[in-house]
Amino acid sequence: MSTDDHERLLGDLRTMVRIRAFEERVSRHFREGLIPGFVHVSIGQEAIAAGVCGALRDDDYITTTHRGHGHCLAKGLDADGMMAELFGRATGTCGGKGGSMHIADPSIGILGANGIVAAGLPIAVGAALAARRRGTDAVAVAFAGEGTVHSGPFHEALTLAVLWEAPVIFVIENNRFAEFTDSEAMWRGDPLVDRARGYGLHHSERIDGNDVEVVRATIEPLVAAARAGAGPALVEAMTYRVHGHYEGDAVPYRDEAEFERWRERDPIARATAALEAAGHGDAVAAIQADADAEIDAAVERGLAAPYPTAETLLEDVHA
Amino acid sequence: MSTDDHERLLGDLRTMVRIRAFEERVSRHFREGLIPGFVHVSIGQEAIAAGVCGALRDDDYITTTHRGHGHCLAKGLDADGMMAELFGRATGTCGGKGGSMHIADPSIGILGANGIVAAGLPIAVGAALAARRRGTDAVAVAFAGEGTVHSGPFHEALTLAVLWEAPVIFVIENNRFAEFTDSEAMWRGDPLVDRARGYGLHHSERIDGNDVEVVRATIEPLVAAARAGAGPALVEAMTYRVHGHYEGDAVPYRDEAEFERWRERDPIARATAALEAAGHGDAVAAIQADADAEIDAAVERGLAAPYPTAETLLEDVHA
Amino acid sequence: MPDERPPRYIDGVRSAIAAEMEADPDVVLIGVDVGEGGGVFGATRGLHERFGAERVIDTPIAEAGVLGAAVGAAMAGLRPVAEIMYMDFVSVCLDPIVNQAAKLRYMTGGGARIPLVFRTQTGGGRSSGAQHSQSLEGMLAHVPGLKVFLPSDPRDVHDLLRAAIRDDGPVVFVENRRLYNRRPADGPWEPLPPGRARVVRPGDDVTVIAWGRMVEEVARACDEQLTDVGVELIDLRTLVPLDLETLERSVRRTGRALVVHEATADFGPGAEIATRLSERLLYEIEGPIRRLGAVAAPTPYSPPLEALALPGPEAIAAAVRGLLED
Amino acid sequence: MPDERPPRYIDGVRSAIAAEMEADPDVVLIGVDVGEGGGVFGATRGLHERFGAERVIDTPIAEAGVLGAAVGAAMAGLRPVAEIMYMDFVSVCLDPIVNQAAKLRYMTGGGARIPLVFRTQTGGGRSSGAQHSQSLEGMLAHVPGLKVFLPSDPRDVHDLLRAAIRDDGPVVFVENRRLYNRRPADGPWEPLPPGRARVVRPGDDVTVIAWGRMVEEVARACDEQLTDVGVELIDLRTLVPLDLETLERSVRRTGRALVVHEATADFGPGAEIATRLSERLLYEIEGPIRRLGAVAAPTPYSPPLEALALPGPEAIAAAVRGLLED
Ligand SMILES: Cc1ncc(C[n+]2csc(CCOP(=O)(O)OP(=O)(O)O)c2C)c(N)n1
Ligand SMILES: Cc1ncc(C[n+]2csc(CCOP(=O)(O)OP(=O)(O)O)c2C)c(N)n1
Ligand SMILES: [Mg+2]
Ligand SMILES: [Mg+2]
């Protein structure tokens, strides 16, 4: 690894660790009743968020899902605003109106988490189309779970992206489950990457989603190609959902041996090991400490923040 | 050709000629203002209806589209009822309530023409599922245009059909156009039949849809396989829409040379020529005469029939 | 040790499906995670084991396809109970409901039979966010050909769901997730058919018409804040068919009425009820028929905002007192 | 030879889009057959040639994807005008309208801007069948975050469409295909902004509120059958925002009101208007606010049945006379 590689890996580790720190607190505070509603965490899947968003610019776009905290943090959203949002506070990213499933900040290209499976894919295609029509070289990434691929909007999004040569990359996080369903039980026929290629995507590849270096190395050329006009591509990143579908799900349907195998492939542990072996132990420790401090502070500020006032109830319904 | 082959071809010719006779009158009477609303005819595409439905039993199911007259006639619906329906009469197949786009007769497995592109595909899958769950060996055929394949329900229907091993055959009539759009302009990537195979269909094939013998020969083994539990298959039948999208469409977007090439491949002319060459000229002439007489009578009876009475307006809203 | 307590609302759902599946082999259950997982709320737990994967069918996330297939299956002789996990998701599968199931019988002049239940649930007030909180029954009641049932009572949910499954036409069956753990009140139970509203508590001053969770919110408002007012609380139970007779009888007596629902008030189902009652009783009422529903905004996530957005006991009590001043 | 006659309704659609595309390079048009084909009714004819395939975008039949893409494009700086060919087809693409476009601004606390027009059309009465005849504006008006415009006049369609395109939020724009060939009446024209109803003809006896094609049906009823009645005809123009003030002012004077719409009456948009007016004017009206809409059945194909299903001059005249007897 070159020094550049180390720097990049340290950066991606920082992102992963921040996400993990964020979501572990979310999980805990949800259990404690401090976070209302329901939340879905991406613990174990951080390499994808970090590796993909690390390759993006501020003016690039992403859309994500109900499991989107990681993608938002990696794309540059501040933990303070996000945590306050989850606490339902006025200082939250969306003023407390959105919540975990609807965090968005279009000003930095985050076009939204989404509570509707597959809804983000066409949105990303449209953003990519707009980028080109407006003469920029921005690209869009649509994050989605593997449960999404059976749905109509997935098919329509791929079809339109290819037709429009839209600079969009579909990143399918295959974390083994769609809610309580073993995703393999729903799958028939060719692998997703082959099917996707059949739509005319210029590239389609299945990768190890728990290795942030692999994710980065895969995505960077795809982003560059999309900027240069190569059109859409798809990546199926293999990973594993370490928590339940939502916090509180006891996961009775999980195969424990498989779970353990995946735990051993934890993306943060892997990056940490590589960096420690390369003599970056101190930097790694500092990343962890910084992230803990950052997120603890976010929690503290979030819990201290006021709830939105009644006057905001009817604000922002219309433009 | 064996005698059986001739008999079958004569039967299929009869079906094609009846469809043609029916739709030519529909076209004319629409122009004359005797048929309200809008109608879509399948002139030039009759081989598909005849070849496919000729392979089906009464208790098999079909779903069709806005361009469904041929499929319904071929599946056994009487021309009288259909013509009366198009005239909006009480004696129509649906008592005048449906019209061209909604002709259906579930008692003989016709689960409906449909005004919503792609809506019939999942319906056919469900009927096929029901047939198996209820222990019959009935199969279902979903007729659809090539414009349908970009839509979400197409994707979902194929996915579910394979997952459920449903005895359903998707017959995609590629008649070159979707409304005013050249369908090739919307297509990217692998041929439809390859994409379809990727879903795990046991068979997927592109055929000459203007040769009724080819259609029959393709469909019969697929129907038999579906009855025996082989699951779903797809056929893309290449054909050409000889009339406009709807009656009254002046087809400014048509390539006249291409149009002429296809006219020479008229399915009825081809079957007629084969049968005449085999010495069945008399039978062919009789088929034509019978069809004319049948449809003329249907027109006459239809025009003489009463309109539905006001009392029926609110009947059959609920079961 | 068997649970001796009366069954909860969610148990009523499960036992109704089980009873109809037992009685009729053509009844099948279909939807995302309804099978092995037992449903995201556990409503269908045990049915997969009991009736097998052939009749309790887990599907991929492809609701438009699944509901379309349910329509086809219904026409081909099954009686599917198809689940739409959250009512908000009708947005991805409206066509099979509105353009197929609702219309096919009519369009075929009576030729098609569509014995089909679209089971779904709603329930705001727990920070589920704008895309998991909508009560869209008004949209569906507006579509001729659909029936719409919305049980509020743990016993009624069983009765109505059985009736829905036995109905030969399409029924949208709207449960409320915030009622799933409710157990019935003590006292005798008289089953009613769909299309009959139930007078939950009699009163002479004001008629309050509600359904779903709003029935208990109104009851709470009465118990906690309106002890001095004779509120006649009517659980509508089914929006289609609509039991105008029972409503009219009550309002004719009380002279005042309020419709309370979780759905957005604007262009919502309460407007229909208010209009119908006003049409019939204009000269008998002592003030306008009023509605109380969610405010005209997407559902906010933050608990204090959401509490303001939805009708609760305070708002209900205030609205009832408002009626008395009209 | 240039056509010297005033532009038709459909020309107003086309010229509005053209003017806004001319004025703002971010305005794009997108939909099935809107481009080279010029639209199934010819409404967008010539725009493809004039503005090119990059801005007038033909799509495959994938409306859910197309509308979702339009939402994304709007958030990323374009101002898409996305066509839904028939209003009935909202059934296949409701999610991007209802759960995305309508809610995103609110859910993001004002962070998202969704300048997006969903252009569609309806128009019963010509045997288009149950799946090509629905007026579903009530469903959409019920969804907070959407505006709903429904022009009736050939000049107004131009003004309102331009306003819709300039609006920074999502607007559902409902044309009526049976008006496409209409040319404006003579006389001066005063443009009005959205949210302002227009008094089309003044009168003192009865207020009739209508939109879309029903405006001319009411006018016809007045001219042909109600010459002895002072009907004040109000073209509502936009359902959201709703101009209650103009309606109230009129009904306060006439004391009687009828809402006429093509949509099914039951649980339809007329109920909201009737309820709002009754709430405000209960003690001033001389009879119930009434509605006339399509009957509670899917739209029948057969011409005589369809004529019975939809409001026409006879039914309107009868309803107005009924009001006078209330
Ligand atoms: C249209 C729609 N159907 C169903 C749901 C309920 N739902 C939420 S998440 C989910 C599973 C998604 O699985 P996957 O795409 O693999 O994402 P993951 O949760 O694994 O990240 C389902 C079914 C939904 N939100 N939207
Ligand atoms: C969901 C939906 N979108 C659009 C339409 C309008 N429409 C009717 S037919 C048609 C083209 C269909 O093309 P194809 O599937 O090739 O069938 P064909 O007309 O060629 O038989 C379109 C766009 C529709 N009826 N339904
Ligand atoms: Mg998953
Ligand atoms: Mg075609």
Side-chain angles (χ1 to χ4, degrees):
Chain A
M1 273 209 268
S2 71
T3 318
D4 272 8
D5 289 340
H6 286 169
E7 282 308 311
R8 196 179 49 216
L9 184 55
L10 278 167
D12 287 347
L13 177 69
R14 179 183 303 279
T15 305
M16 293 196 289
V17 168
R18 290 177 66 235
I19 297 171
R20 179 76 54 93
F22 184 90
E23 294 204 311
E24 282 185 337
R25 280 159 187 80
V26 166
S27 177
R28 180 184 338 137
H29 298 316
F30 179 82
R31 255 192 328 274
E32 294 166 355
L34 294 174
I35 293 177
F38 38 95
V39 285
H40 311 83
V41 300
S42 63
I43 289 176
Q45 306 178 208
E46 298 90 345
I48 303 164
V52 170
C53 292
L56 299 180
R57 298 192 312 231
D58 259 16
D59 66 336
D60 291 328
Y61 298 102
I62 66 166
T63 63
T64 170
T65 68
H66 55 287
R67 205 176 298 289
H69 306 144
H71 310 129
C72 293
L73 283 166
K75 186 66 173 58
L77 207 54
D78 67 305
D80 267 18
M82 281 181 61
M83 194 62 87
E85 185 65 27
L86 269 66
F87 290 139
R89 307 302 165 119
T91 54
T93 313
C94 308
K97 285 175 171 168
S100 166
M101 259 192 307
H102 305 298
I103 288 186
D105 186 351
S107 73
I108 52 170
I110 301 174
L111 302 187
N114 217 308
I116 305 297
V117 163
L121 280 73
I123 293 177
V125 173
L129 175 75
R132 281 196 92 73
R133 290 292 186 274
R134 306 185 85 227
T136 83
D137 68 347
V139 306
V141 169
F143 289 101
E146 84 293 347
T148 303
V149 303
H150 308 291
S151 77
F154 170 83
H155 176 74
E156 298 188 359
L158 262 64
T159 299
L160 295 173
V162 172
L163 188 64
W164 294 337
E165 296 171 6
V168 57
I169 300 159
F170 300 99
V171 175
I172 309 300
E173 301 195 22
N174 188 337
N175 66 359
R176 198 70 176 78
F177 301 105
E179 286 191 347
F180 312 154
T181 298
D182 174 350
S183 294
E184 280 178 19
M186 291 294 147
W187 191 263
R188 296 291 183 280
D190 291 350
L192 175 62
V193 293
D194 293 329
R195 282 208 212 162
R197 205 174 295 115
Y199 285 84
L201 295 175
H202 79 86
H203 188 88
S204 175
E205 184 180 354
R206 175 185 272 208
I207 63 168
D208 180 353
N210 276 24
D211 184 334
V212 72
E213 292 181 276
V214 167
V215 176
R216 247 302 188 162
T218 306
I219 285 292
E220 280 185 346
L222 295 178
V223 168
R227 286 204 208 293
L234 179 142
V235 173
E236 183 185 16
M238 304 307 288
T239 184
Y240 190 86
R241 200 191 70 205
V242 170
H243 277 215
H245 171 61
Y246 42 68
E247 292 308 283
D249 171 10
V251 214
Y253 47 87
R254 177 165 85 190
D255 176 319
E256 291 303 320
E258 187 188 49
F259 174 65
E260 285 309 325
R261 278 197 303 282
W262 277 98
R263 290 291 275 171
E264 283 159 25
R265 307 183 54 213
D266 182 80
I268 294 181
R270 282 162 81 179
T272 298
L275 285 162
E276 283 175 350
H280 292 287
D282 290 355
V284 168
I287 283 172
Q288 185 67 56
D290 288 354
D292 283 335
E294 176 194 4
I295 309 299
D296 285 338
V299 169
E300 199 172 316
R301 277 193 284 266
L303 288 175
Y307 283 108
T309 58
E311 298 84 73
T312 65
L313 179 64
L314 294 176
E315 279 172 18
D316 293 320
V317 176
H318 293 286
Chain B
M1 273 209 268
S2 71
T3 319
D4 272 7
D5 289 340
H6 286 169
E7 282 308 311
R8 197 180 47 217
L9 184 54
L10 278 167
D12 288 348
L13 177 70
R14 179 183 303 278
T15 304
M16 293 195 289
V17 168
R18 289 176 65 234
I19 297 171
R20 179 75 55 93
F22 184 89
E23 295 204 310
E24 283 185 338
R25 280 158 188 82
V26 167
S27 177
R28 180 183 340 134
H29 299 314
F30 179 82
R31 257 193 325 275
E32 294 166 356
L34 294 174
I35 293 176
F38 38 96
V39 286
H40 312 83
V41 300
S42 62
I43 288 175
Q45 306 178 208
E46 299 90 344
I48 303 164
V52 170
C53 292
L56 299 181
R57 298 192 313 231
D58 259 16
D59 67 335
D60 291 328
Y61 298 102
I62 66 165
T63 62
T64 171
T65 68
H66 54 287
R67 204 177 299 289
H69 306 144
H71 310 130
C72 292
L73 283 165
K75 186 66 174 58
L77 209 52
D78 68 304
D80 267 19
M82 282 181 61
M83 194 62 87
E85 185 65 26
L86 269 65
F87 289 139
R89 306 303 164 117
T91 54
T93 313
C94 307
K97 285 176 172 168
S100 167
M101 257 191 308
H102 305 298
I103 288 187
D105 185 349
S107 73
I108 53 170
I110 301 173
L111 303 187
N114 216 308
I116 305 297
V117 163
L121 279 72
I123 292 177
V125 173
L129 175 75
R132 281 194 92 73
R133 290 292 186 273
R134 305 185 87 227
T136 83
D137 68 347
V139 307
V141 169
F143 289 101
E146 85 293 348
T148 303
V149 302
H150 307 292
S151 76
F154 170 83
H155 175 74
E156 298 187 359
L158 263 63
T159 299
L160 296 173
V162 172
L163 188 64
W164 296 336
E165 295 170 5
V168 56
I169 300 159
F170 301 99
V171 175
I172 308 300
E173 301 195 22
N174 188 336
N175 67 359
R176 197 73 176 76
F177 301 106
E179 287 191 346
F180 312 154
T181 298
D182 175 350
S183 294
E184 280 177 20
M186 291 293 146
W187 191 262
R188 296 290 184 280
D190 291 350
L192 175 63
V193 292
D194 294 329
R195 281 208 212 162
R197 205 174 297 113
Y199 286 85
L201 296 174
H202 78 88
H203 188 88
S204 175
E205 185 179 354
R206 175 184 273 207
I207 63 169
D208 180 353
N210 276 23
D211 184 334
V212 73
E213 292 181 277
V214 167
V215 175
R216 245 306 186 160
T218 306
I219 285 292
E220 280 185 346
L222 294 179
V223 169
R227 285 203 209 294
L234 180 142
V235 173
E236 182 184 16
M238 305 307 289
T239 184
Y240 190 87
R241 200 190 70 205
V242 170
H243 277 215
H245 171 61
Y246 41 70
E247 292 308 284
D249 171 9
V251 214
Y253 48 88
R254 175 165 84 189
D255 177 316
E256 291 303 320
E258 187 188 49
F259 174 66
E260 285 308 326
R261 279 198 303 282
W262 276 97
R263 291 290 276 169
E264 283 160 25
R265 306 183 55 212
D266 181 81
I268 294 181
R270 281 162 81 180
T272 298
L275 285 162
E276 284 174 350
H280 292 287
D282 289 354
V284 168
I287 283 172
Q288 185 67 56
D290 287 354
D292 284 335
E294 177 194 2
I295 309 297
D296 285 337
V299 169
E300 200 171 315
R301 275 193 286 267
L303 288 175
Y307 282 108
T309 57
E311 298 84 73
T312 65
L313 179 63
L314 294 175
E315 279 172 18
D316 293 320
V317 176
H318 293 285
Chain C
M1 202 182 70
D3 190 342
E4 296 288 331
R5 290 172 300 172
R8 298 169 304 164
Y9 187 100
I10 197 168
D11 302 320
V13 172
R14 191 185 309 110
S15 63
I17 299 172
E20 291 302 322
M21 290 188 78
E22 199 67 68
D24 183 347
D26 285 330
V27 176
V28 299
L29 186 65
I30 187 165
V32 176
D33 277 319
V34 296
E36 283 194 78
V40 278
F41 301 100
T44 56
R45 208 166 278 159
L47 298 177
H48 183 265
E49 291 74 359
R50 182 157 161 205
F51 297 102
E54 297 273 298
R55 293 183 65 198
V56 180
I57 306 170
D58 275 319
T59 77
I61 306 168
E63 287 91 347
V66 169
L67 264 55
V71 172
M75 280 199 281
L78 294 182
R79 302 185 86 85
V81 178
E83 178 173 309
I84 302 158
M85 193 184 288
Y86 280 73
M87 192 169 201
D88 313 70
F89 306 166
V90 297
S91 63
V92 301
C93 52
L94 196 70
D95 193 72
I97 306 172
V98 159
N99 280 329
Q100 313 299 331
K103 298 185 174 26
L104 267 159
R105 184 170 183 81
Y106 190 82
M107 292 193 301
T108 58
R113 227 176 48 126
I114 319 278
L116 175 49
V117 178
F118 299 108
R119 244 197 86 221
T120 191
Q121 58 79 33
T122 184
R126 286 286 181 268
S127 288
S128 301
Q131 294 173 339
H132 284 71
S133 300
Q134 293 164 92
S135 291
L136 300 173
E137 61 266 24
M139 281 190 183
L140 298 166
H142 183 41
V143 178
L146 296 176
K147 293 182 181 161
V148 182
F149 297 1
L150 321 99
S152 78
D153 184 282
R155 291 158 294 194
D156 216 15
V157 72
H158 178 95
D159 298 346
L160 279 175
L161 184 47
R162 293 193 69 167
I165 297 172
R166 286 175 181 229
D167 198 298
D168 278 337
V171 178
V172 179
F173 193 83
V174 190
E175 301 160 20
N176 192 300
R177 62 180 172 276
R178 291 188 56 194
L179 299 177
Y180 276 147
N181 282 318
R182 294 289 181 277
R183 297 188 193 270
D186 289 336
W189 178 251
E190 206 198 314
L192 285 178
R196 287 279 303 283
R198 186 188 305 273
V199 179
V200 174
R201 32 174 102 189
D204 293 322
D205 300 336
V206 173
T207 302
V208 181
I209 301 151
W211 56 86
R213 187 174 64 82
M214 288 300 118
V215 174
E216 68 173 34
E217 292 293 288
V218 175
R220 187 166 303 144
C222 293
D223 289 341
E224 294 171 2
Q225 305 184 43
L226 295 167
T227 44
D228 56 325
V229 183
V231 171
E232 177 140 307
L233 170 55
I234 299 182
D235 176 1
L236 191 63
R237 303 175 68 240
T238 67
L239 213 41
V240 183
L242 182 62
D243 181 4
L244 270 175
E245 283 58 46
T246 298
L247 306 186
E248 192 182 330
R249 201 160 42 234
S250 174
V251 180
R252 202 180 283 285
R253 197 159 35 75
T254 60
R256 305 175 195 272
L258 175 72
V259 187
V260 182
H261 57 56
E262 274 196 67
T264 303
D266 286 16
F267 297 94
E272 179 69 23
I273 297 167
T275 301
R276 295 285 197 106
L277 289 172
S278 301
E279 276 169 5
R280 294 177 171 216
L281 300 173
L282 188 70
Y283 304 110
E284 273 124 306
I285 52 183
E286 315 203 12
I289 314 289
R290 297 202 181 267
R291 298 166 296 159
L292 185 66
V295 299
T299 314
Y301 164 78
S302 181
L305 281 189
E306 194 183 18
L308 291 171
L310 282 176
E314 282 73 29
I316 293 165
V320 167
R321 294 209 185 276
L323 286 192
L324 295 171
E325 285 156 24
D326 270 330
Chain D
M1 200 182 69
D3 189 343
E4 297 287 332
R5 289 172 300 173
R8 297 168 305 165
Y9 186 100
I10 196 167
D11 302 320
V13 172
R14 190 184 310 107
S15 63
I17 299 172
E20 291 302 322
M21 290 189 78
E22 199 69 68
D24 182 349
D26 286 329
V27 176
V28 300
L29 186 65
I30 187 164
V32 176
D33 277 318
V34 297
E36 283 195 78
V40 279
F41 302 99
T44 56
R45 207 167 279 159
L47 298 178
H48 183 265
E49 291 74 0
R50 181 156 162 207
F51 297 102
E54 297 273 297
R55 293 184 64 199
V56 181
I57 306 170
D58 274 319
T59 76
I61 306 168
E63 288 91 347
V66 170
L67 265 55
V71 172
M75 280 199 281
L78 293 182
R79 302 184 86 84
V81 178
E83 178 173 307
I84 302 158
M85 193 184 286
Y86 281 73
M87 192 168 201
D88 313 70
F89 306 166
V90 297
S91 63
V92 302
C93 51
L94 196 69
D95 193 73
I97 307 172
V98 159
N99 281 328
Q100 313 300 329
K103 298 184 174 26
L104 267 158
R105 184 170 183 81
Y106 191 81
M107 293 193 301
T108 57
R113 227 177 48 127
I114 319 277
L116 175 50
V117 177
F118 299 109
R119 242 197 88 221
T120 191
Q121 59 80 32
T122 183
R126 285 285 181 270
S127 288
S128 302
Q131 294 173 339
H132 284 70
S133 301
Q134 294 164 90
S135 291
L136 300 174
E137 61 266 24
M139 281 190 183
L140 298 166
H142 184 40
V143 179
L146 297 175
K147 293 181 181 160
V148 182
F149 298 0
L150 320 99
S152 78
D153 184 282
R155 292 157 295 193
D156 218 14
V157 72
H158 178 94
D159 298 346
L160 278 175
L161 183 49
R162 292 193 70 167
I165 297 172
R166 286 174 181 230
D167 198 297
D168 278 337
V171 178
V172 179
F173 193 83
V174 190
E175 300 160 20
N176 192 301
R177 63 180 172 276
R178 292 188 56 194
L179 299 177
Y180 276 146
N181 283 319
R182 294 289 181 279
R183 297 187 193 271
D186 289 337
W189 178 250
E190 205 200 315
L192 284 179
R196 287 279 304 282
R198 186 188 304 275
V199 179
V200 174
R201 32 174 102 189
D204 292 323
D205 299 337
V206 174
T207 302
V208 181
I209 301 151
W211 55 87
R213 188 174 64 82
M214 288 300 117
V215 174
E216 69 174 34
E217 292 294 287
V218 175
R220 187 166 304 143
C222 294
D223 289 342
E224 294 171 3
Q225 305 184 43
L226 295 168
T227 44
D228 56 326
V229 184
V231 172
E232 177 141 307
L233 170 56
I234 299 183
D235 177 0
L236 191 62
R237 302 175 68 242
T238 67
L239 212 42
V240 183
L242 181 63
D243 181 3
L244 270 175
E245 282 58 45
T246 298
L247 305 186
E248 192 181 329
R249 201 159 43 235
S250 174
V251 180
R252 202 179 283 285
R253 196 160 38 72
T254 61
R256 304 174 195 274
L258 174 72
V259 188
V260 182
H261 57 57
E262 274 196 68
T264 303
D266 287 14
F267 297 94
E272 179 69 22
I273 298 166
T275 302
R276 295 285 197 108
L277 289 172
S278 301
E279 277 169 4
R280 295 177 171 217
L281 300 172
L282 187 70
Y283 304 110
E284 273 125 307
I285 53 182
E286 316 204 11
I289 313 290
R290 296 200 181 268
R291 297 166 297 159
L292 186 65
V295 300
T299 314
Y301 165 79
S302 181
L305 280 189
E306 194 183 18
L308 292 171
L310 282 175
E314 282 73 29
I316 293 165
V320 167
R321 294 209 185 275
L323 285 192
L324 295 171
E325 284 157 25
D326 270 329

